[in-house]
């Protein structure tokens, strides 16, 4: 099994690159943001809770997010591996993921971190707002909040994987194809 974390700030291109990687490596794509948005669309209890945080650019509480992620993983007992996109976003989530995978005799193979300067992120998110329909992309204050939350709560997650020798930084600026190429070189065959 090969389990990858695609890491990076909002707007780094995690969703875009995941689409290629799942195909290429035959992995199951789990994007916590996508799952929350599907729940919002379906007007579930989880969706209503998640929306109250997402609209403000805040993180959904760890306990809820971790429980949801574990239940999604358990839906795919035949998977050849997972690509985690948007998770883990806090050190507590990373620790919970380690324990959870270990209980299944699994682990994270590598964290691929897309590195993109902040000014570029803001430009990309505002451009994405034109087509994404995402309220959290359309408001510059919410974008700033998401970037601040990333810097304070999520960036430290990289240290967790760096300490385990699993961190791979990838230049996330360039064409989609160039970045895909960098990722596949980093991940290997
Ligand atoms: P982006 O990476 O562009 O911010 P995502 O779709 O990954 O977009 O996340 C959108 C929002 O969903 C986040 O701002 C947060 O409110 C919520 N969210 C997604 N993943 C997590 C997570 N692992 N923990 C807590 N909240 C999350």
């Amino acid at each position: 099994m090969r389990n990858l974390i695609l890491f990076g700030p909002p707007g780094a291109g995690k969703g875009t690159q995941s689409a290629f990687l799942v195909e290429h490596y035959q992995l199951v794509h789990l994007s916590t943001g996508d799952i929350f948005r599907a729940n919002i669309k379906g007007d579930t209890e989880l969706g209503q809770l998640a929306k109250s945080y997402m609209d403000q650019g805040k993180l959904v509480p760890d306990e809820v997010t971790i429980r949801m992620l574990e239940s999604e993983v358990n839906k795919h007992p035949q998977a050849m591996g997972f690509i985690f996109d948007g998770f883990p976003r806090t050190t507590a989530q990373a620790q919970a993921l380690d324990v959870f995978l270990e209980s299944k005799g699994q682990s994270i193979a590598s964290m691929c971190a897309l590195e993109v300067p902040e000014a570029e992120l803001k430009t990309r998110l505002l451009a994405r707002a034109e087509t994404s329909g995402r309220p959290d992309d359309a408001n510059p204050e919410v974008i700033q909040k998401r970037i601040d939350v990333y810097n304070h709560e999520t960036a430290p997650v990289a240290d967790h994987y760096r300490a385990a020798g699993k961190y791979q930084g990838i230049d996330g600026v360039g064409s989609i194809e160039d970045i895909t190429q960098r990722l596949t070189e980093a991940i290997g065959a």
Side-chain angles (χ1 to χ4, degrees), residues 10 14 32-33 37 54 58 60 86 89 93 128 134 146:
K14 302 184 293 289
T32 41
R37 279 185 289 276
M54 290 166 78
K58 294 181 182 166
V60 179
R89 248 179 164 94
Q93 290 179 15
R128 184 169 79 181
R134 282 177 53 172
R146 285 158 66 201

Side-chain angles (χ1 to χ4, degrees), residues 28-147:
V28 173
H29 179 216
L30 289 185
S31 156
T32 41
D34 285 354
I35 301 165
F36 286 136
R37 279 185 289 276
N39 275 277
I40 292 173
K41 213 170 163 200
D43 200 22
T44 67
E45 211 174 304
L46 173 64
Q48 287 172 8
L49 176 89
K51 186 171 166 49
S52 65
Y53 293 93
M54 290 166 78
D55 283 354
Q56 297 178 63
K58 294 181 182 166
L59 294 182
V60 179
D62 280 339
E63 201 192 306
V64 177
T65 306
I66 291 164
R67 200 179 332 119
M68 176 187 83
L69 189 278
E70 293 184 353
S71 113
E72 290 295 322
V73 169
N74 286 335
K75 285 181 190 166
H76 300 274
Q78 307 295 341
M80 290 172 54
F82 293 89
I83 177 151
F84 298 105
D85 162 1
F87 185 94
R89 248 179 164 94
T90 63
T91 306
Q93 290 179 15
Q95 284 162 352
L97 181 62
D98 280 351
V99 171
F100 176 65
L101 290 178
E102 207 177 303
S103 75
K104 295 176 169 297
Q106 302 293 333
S107 62
I108 291 296
S110 122
M111 164 182 269
C112 297
L114 294 171
E115 297 169 344
V116 179
E118 197 168 306
E120 166 91 9
L121 296 173
K122 291 178 186 166
T123 311
R124 286 187 190 180
L125 290 169
L126 284 170
R128 184 169 79 181
E130 305 283 328
T131 52
S132 71
R134 282 177 53 172
D136 59 344
D137 285 345
N139 180 333
E141 280 170 29
V142 175
I143 289 177
Q144 188 60 54
K145 174 74 183 168
R146 285 158 66 201
I147 292 174

Side-chain angles (χ1 to χ4, degrees), residues 8-26:
K14 302 184 293 289
T16 306
Q17 294 298 332
S18 289
F20 171 82
L21 294 177
V22 292
E23 178 97 359
H24 191 77
Y25 293 104
Q26 303 278 297

